[in-house]
Amino acid sequence: MNNKIHIIGSGFSSLAASCYLAKDGFNVTVLEKNSTLGGRARQYKNDGFTFDIGPTWYWMPDVFERFFADFGKKPLDYYVLEKLKPAYQVYFDKDDSITIPGSLNEIYEVFENEEKGSSQHLKSFLGSAKANYDTAIKDLVYKPGVSPLELVTPTTIARVSQFFSTIRKDVRKKIKSHKLIQILEFPVLFLGAKPSNTPAFYNFMNYADFGLGTWHPKGGMYMVVEAMVTLAKTLGVEFKTDANVEKIITDNSNSVSGLVVNGEKIEANIVLSGADYHHSETLLDKNLRQYSEKYWSKKTFAPSSLLFYVGFDKKLDNVCHHTLFFDTDFDIHAKDIYDDPKWPDEPLFYASFPSITDETCAPEGKEAATFLIPLAPGLKDTEALRERYFNKILARLEQLTGQNVKKSIIFKKSFCVNDFVKDYNSYKGNAYGMANTLFQTAFLRPKIKSKKVGNLFFTGQLTVPGPGVPPALISGKIASDLIKKNQ
């Protein structure tokens, strides 16, 4: 069998695949176009502050444990995990916020205090969510998306109605509080779609939220990247940074024969691309691409984001490690992302203050903050717009939390649509990949194995199982299994 494989990109899915393939005897080389590893999960350091450029939420700890266990390791062999207590805070207005505690019994109390009787509805809802989580995470999401029959099991047949209902309908059946509804609908944002377009089966994200909790690896999510790189290197994986793949070369039988990297042709027998799927196909001759521009333009993509990495010269008040600002209309913002793409007038936004939990993220007495505004992909992105929205959300932060912070800014760095395109070749500058709507789930997503090019495979958030860090780890495993099967 061919045992030499080149992997394009070094995000979570590529790193996971590199480990599995190396363990199974493949000679693996990872090619990363940027100067540092990690893909969208890179790290930014400035003036004693440390920021995760990409993902900041550590959910589904069991998926990470399962990955490392496949190599006889544990996450704790590489990084220290802390369960966040509280998990996060949600602002609805000035002096009106709900804090989600770190234990399920305390969460039931929070719900009951907000709406009498809601805790019983929540228990029933989470019972269904846990059953769906067990079905999805222990079985379905590890399927390669080759056939619709992968979804047909006794369990899914019993729950088939949940694929044709939505999270929004499910959440609103019994609970009436608008605040509680927003909290229950929030986790599906990680799937990249509106609650009204997300199958009710995906309520397993609520179990991930409330049942499994929110965690923080000391040093940030980049510690997971470093752990996986360390593991990969011990397995023999070779990493090359500043290695931009410009072309995938094929032979007369339309099988992979080489790559053009930084203008130089190298031999390649098997290629796995963890880079943006759309971009990866543009590296092929047009007749060898599976999906047309028309295909991509019709798909529902998860949002892009406007991000700010900010260093403050003081500690901030009245915020948690993860803080959500839901003081504006979610439905209007969602419409501006999915239905009529434009810059939102009054966006919801999210803020992460990791230095509240982790002293390694900022100098003593100072605060590191990441702000994120979800945006429609493909929007015009200018410095003037970035500055306008920074001032907008900072004014709301000050008003809602009752403090002045603008004069305490030491520095800020922004990242938006243009950067996602430049740094990651991301289609329309999307941040999270393709949304998990009913018609973009499992076998209906772009395929891991190319139908037109031999020994060309794909992994990551545009293929199965979908957006998010845990799904990326799973995608790497699925791709590696498919490669082994095809050799």
Side-chain angles (χ1 to χ4, degrees), residues 64-201:
F64 295 88
E65 289 164 8
R66 181 168 173 176
F67 167 77
F68 285 107
D70 285 341
F71 303 92
K73 300 290 184 180
K74 303 185 296 295
L76 290 178
D77 292 331
Y78 300 97
Y79 51 87
V80 177
L81 268 181
E82 178 181 351
K83 189 173 187 181
L84 296 184
K85 301 176 182 179
Y88 55 89
Q89 181 178 13
V90 185
Y91 271 96
F92 299 98
D93 206 341
K94 183 173 173 59
D95 302 320
D96 186 6
S97 70
I98 290 179
T99 299
I100 300 301
S103 76
L104 201 45
N105 284 335
E106 290 175 301
I107 292 171
Y108 291 141
E109 289 180 18
V110 166
F111 268 61
E112 193 65 23
N113 289 338
E114 175 62 27
E115 179 184 328
K116 190 167 179 59
S118 65
S119 63
Q120 291 305 311
H121 299 319
L122 179 61
K123 287 176 184 177
S124 174
F125 180 77
L126 288 181
S128 167
K130 183 182 186 305
N132 287 345
Y133 187 90
D134 290 341
T135 299
I137 299 303
K138 294 177 182 176
D139 186 17
L140 293 184
V141 296
Y142 285 89
K143 303 292 187 183
V146 173
S147 165
L149 295 177
E150 293 169 4
L151 297 180
V152 181
T153 69
T155 305
T156 56
I157 290 171
R159 294 190 173 91
V160 68
S161 62
Q162 293 188 33
F163 287 93
F164 297 97
S165 183
T166 67
I167 288 286
R168 170 155 286 197
K169 288 179 183 176
D170 217 25
V171 164
R172 296 170 186 236
K173 279 179 184 175
K174 300 284 180 68
I175 292 177
K176 304 305 177 188
S177 163
H178 184 63
K179 297 175 196 174
L180 299 183
I181 286 170
Q182 283 191 286
I183 289 170
L184 287 173
E185 290 181 348
F186 143 69
V188 303
L189 297 179
F190 287 98
L191 301 173
K194 293 191 295 185
S196 57
N197 287 341
T198 303
F201 181 78

Side-chain angles (χ1 to χ4, degrees), residues 309-348:
Y309 312 101
V310 185
F312 290 98
D313 68 4
K314 67 176 184 179
K315 303 299 288 184
L316 271 59
D317 298 323
N318 304 322
V319 290
C320 289
H321 183 130
H322 295 299
T323 306
L324 302 161
F325 294 86
F326 283 5
D327 54 309
T328 60
D329 194 306
F330 171 81
D331 289 335
I332 293 175
H333 189 174
K335 183 179 178 182
D336 293 339
I337 295 173
Y338 298 103
D339 304 328
D340 180 22
K342 64 178 184 178
W343 282 83
D345 291 327
E346 294 296 337
L348 284 74

Side-chain angles (χ1 to χ4, degrees), residues 407-423:
K407 291 182 179 179
S408 297
I409 294 173
I410 303 169
F411 65 86
K412 77 172 188 294
K413 174 184 172 68
S414 64
F415 197 96
C416 196
V417 174
N418 293 346
D419 301 297
F420 280 103
V421 173
K422 177 175 68 73
D423 287 4

